[in-house]
Amino acid sequence: MDVEDIRPGQNFSEAIDQTLAQCSTVLVVIGPRWFEILQQRAAKREQDYVVHEISAALARKADVVPVFVGGATAAALAALPAALADLSLHQAVELHDGSFKEDCHRLATSLKLTRARAFPRSLLWSAAAVLVVIALVLAANAGIGPWRASRERQARVAALLKTAATQSSQTEYQSAFDSYQQVLGLEYANGAALDGQVDAAMLWLENFHVLVGEGQKAEDLAAPVLARLKTVLEAGLARTSGRDARAADILAHLGWAHWLNEKIAFKEFGGAERVFSQSLVIDSSNVFANAMMGNWLLQTHGDSAAAMRHFQVALTTGTQRPFVRSMQLGGLLYNDAPGMHAEFARALSEMRKSNESVEPGIKSRARYLYDVSLGEVDEFREVLAAAPHDDNWETYLWLSPGAPTDIRQAFVHASLAEFSDNRAAAASEFKTLLPRLRAEGSSYRMVNYAVAAIARLSR
């Protein structure tokens, strides 16, 4: 130990070099904050003897083994300073808290190390050791000194974890995120808090919005929050294998953070698609990546057919259905590209038949699909042909409940009848309806449509 084995006045660098000259193997123990501390010391231009020790070991061509502890990952070896660059080329090992003894034994075996022969201990020393252990146990049970603080910290951690779980269940994702951060302030390597914060970040992104007050800008409010969420997700991704379902989920949400950073915060351009694609390479059926990619394609006027295929894949998984529908309907809501009104009507018809709920705002907005007075004739007829006559009529009634004598309801029924097999019945409905439309001062679009429909159906 440098604090014990270097004599007063001895040169640190020389002592380190002399010790390393006697070592065939050097273990570089790396914790979760190792790289962060390395950067802090470099920024302050402090003399870092850890860097000196490692660089000296690398220069001597010793067997240098990076050893990850406390949940640290290979991400700590990214962007190392020049003196340590070769460290990332050395095969690393991991020591886990739950299997520490076994992991150490495997490491020792792989390095062909043997336990040194223990020096004999006198009975007096053994008795003294027993007394020390007994004293420590008594102190722990009595709640003296650090043991009391440890128990209090553990109780605080348990309470915060429980609070965070409750907050998430109540959809208070930002509060849950902050509660997990408090846990990490007490125990920076707490696995439950690290994973829980990533989960909270993903849920927060799925429901992301900003409340803009007078004199404020949405981008100023969104940008720092999105940067914070991205940092947590990137750290969470580094703790995965990079090839499993967890990695695919995190990548999908990172892609969504990039898109929000572009759309709301105006901080970047074009980063979302690349990250969505990375997620889909890992898991082509990932529900989040498919739903988010589909929405992104519709919002950026991309390949709408590809967008609908992504939504279909997401729906086929049978998971996260409300989320997938929100992505699908959100992308279709104001989309006037050819065929998208029909896709909107078909999605609503499927939701009605499977008894899925629709947000009141979406339901209200969807009524315009069946109102020729608010849109183009071609778009109206596209919706009428989107589903079989009976299904389409039931979907319309589901969206726009009203009395059977309501003139708009009668108009939609007649319009849908044109797409059934009974053209004569449809013509009869329009002939009966036309005088009412004129008498009640209905929209000229409705009147003109009825006149044209009678002419088409009478031929």
Side-chain angles (χ1 to χ4, degrees):
M1 292 290 291
D2 54 9
V3 296
E4 296 178 357
D5 299 328
I6 298 180
R7 300 188 311 275
Q10 188 177 9
N11 184 291
F12 263 80
S13 295
E14 291 179 0
I16 290 170
D17 290 343
Q18 289 170 7
T19 302
L20 287 171
Q22 304 172 43
C23 297
S24 60
T25 303
V26 176
L27 306 183
V28 181
V29 183
I30 298 172
R33 297 184 60 233
W34 187 83
F35 184 66
E36 176 188 338
I37 296 169
L38 190 72
Q39 289 181 309
Q40 290 173 354
R41 290 191 176 180
K44 295 178 181 177
R45 300 184 182 277
E46 296 179 356
Q47 178 67 43
D48 193 335
Y49 284 100
V50 171
V51 172
H52 180 89
E53 291 170 358
I54 299 171
S55 60
L58 292 169
R60 290 183 176 278
K61 305 298 182 182
D63 289 333
V64 180
V65 184
V67 180
F68 299 127
V69 299
T73 67
L77 302 183
L80 290 171
L84 304 182
D86 287 349
L87 183 61
S88 63
L89 303 178
H90 289 246
Q91 181 65 37
V93 298
E94 292 185 39
L95 305 182
H96 301 91
D97 294 347
S99 57
F100 189 80
K101 184 176 180 180
E102 295 81 359
D103 291 345
C104 286
H105 179 73
R106 280 193 291 271
L107 175 58
T109 301
S110 66
L111 294 174
K112 297 182 172 58
L113 303 179
T114 58
R115 185 184 298 275
R117 185 180 299 277
F119 291 105
R121 298 288 194 267
S122 69
L123 292 175
L124 179 61
W125 280 40
S126 298
V130 171
L131 288 174
V132 169
V133 171
I134 292 173
L136 292 175
V137 171
L138 291 174
N141 290 336
I144 297 173
W147 289 278
R148 180 177 181 179
S150 176
R151 284 214 302 270
E152 290 175 349
R153 184 177 66 252
Q154 290 172 2
R156 176 65 174 153
V157 165
L160 283 169
L161 288 173
K162 187 174 181 180
T163 297
T166 300
Q167 289 166 333
S168 284
S169 68
Q170 298 296 320
T171 70
E172 299 172 6
Y173 306 123
Q174 181 176 353
S175 297
F177 183 95
D178 292 338
S179 293
Y180 285 123
Q181 187 60 49
Q182 291 183 60
V183 174
L184 295 172
L186 296 169
E187 294 182 359
Y188 67 87
N190 186 289
L194 288 168
D195 290 340
Q197 191 175 46
V198 170
D199 291 337
M202 291 193 289
L203 288 166
W204 190 354
L205 282 168
E206 291 170 25
N207 299 273
F208 191 83
H209 63 277
V210 289
L211 299 176
V212 183
E214 186 176 353
Q216 295 178 315
K217 294 182 179 179
E219 56 266 34
D220 294 337
L221 299 174
V225 176
L226 290 169
R228 189 180 177 199
L229 293 173
K230 285 170 65 180
T231 298
V232 168
L233 291 181
E234 286 164 352
L237 180 63
R239 292 193 298 274
T240 70
S241 68
R243 300 180 297 276
D244 55 14
R246 178 74 165 173
D249 286 349
I250 293 174
L251 277 166
H253 287 82
L254 268 172
W256 193 248
H258 280 288
W259 167 231
L260 293 175
N261 211 28
E262 175 184 339
K263 183 181 180 184
I264 301 177
F266 310 123
K267 292 294 183 182
E268 59 180 286
F269 180 76
E273 183 179 17
R274 171 182 55 82
V275 188
F276 289 144
S277 297
Q278 289 175 352
S279 176
L280 291 169
V281 166
I282 296 171
D283 179 8
S284 61
S285 63
N286 184 271
V287 64
F288 296 108
N290 278 288
M292 291 169 172
M293 176 72 100
N295 181 280
W296 178 83
L297 285 168
L298 293 181
Q299 290 203 56
T300 56
H301 307 290
D303 187 339
S304 55
M308 301 318 297
R309 288 195 295 272
H310 281 296
F311 287 128
Q312 189 56 48
V313 172
L315 290 168
T316 301
T317 67
T319 62
Q320 302 293 332
R321 203 171 185 86
F323 172 74
V324 177
R325 288 300 193 189
S326 70
M327 289 283 105
Q328 183 183 31
L329 297 184
L332 291 169
L333 187 58
Y334 297 103
N335 197 309
D336 294 327
M340 292 302 98
H341 286 207
E343 292 292 352
F344 199 178
R346 275 193 284 271
L348 291 168
S349 182
E350 291 172 3
M351 294 178 73
R352 173 188 61 78
K353 289 189 285 187
S354 57
N355 201 30
E356 299 175 53
S357 61
V358 180
E359 295 177 14
I362 295 283
K363 209 168 185 178
S364 175
R365 174 63 182 164
R367 293 175 191 143
Y368 86 94
L369 295 172
Y370 295 88
D371 193 340
V372 73
S373 66
L374 299 178
E376 299 298 325
V377 169
D378 290 345
E379 295 172 348
F380 178 62
R381 290 177 65 77
E382 180 184 298
V383 170
L384 297 177
H389 170 271
D390 291 342
D391 281 348
N392 221 339
W393 175 241
E394 290 298 326
T395 299
Y396 170 74
L397 294 178
W398 179 60
L399 293 170
S400 308
T405 57
D406 183 281
I407 194 167
R408 288 187 179 275
Q409 188 177 108
F411 180 86
V412 171
H413 190 276
S415 301
L416 283 170
E418 182 179 357
F419 289 84
S420 67
D421 294 333
N422 195 339
R423 291 169 57 86
S428 176
E429 285 189 47
F430 273 117
K431 288 176 182 178
T432 302
L433 186 60
L434 184 57
R436 283 188 61 196
L437 292 171
R438 287 171 170 161
E440 296 184 20
S442 298
S443 163
Y444 76 92
R445 286 175 176 264
M446 295 173 70
V447 172
N448 290 347
Y449 188 92
V451 171
I454 291 169
R456 285 194 304 271
L457 293 165
S458 300
R459 286 199 291 267

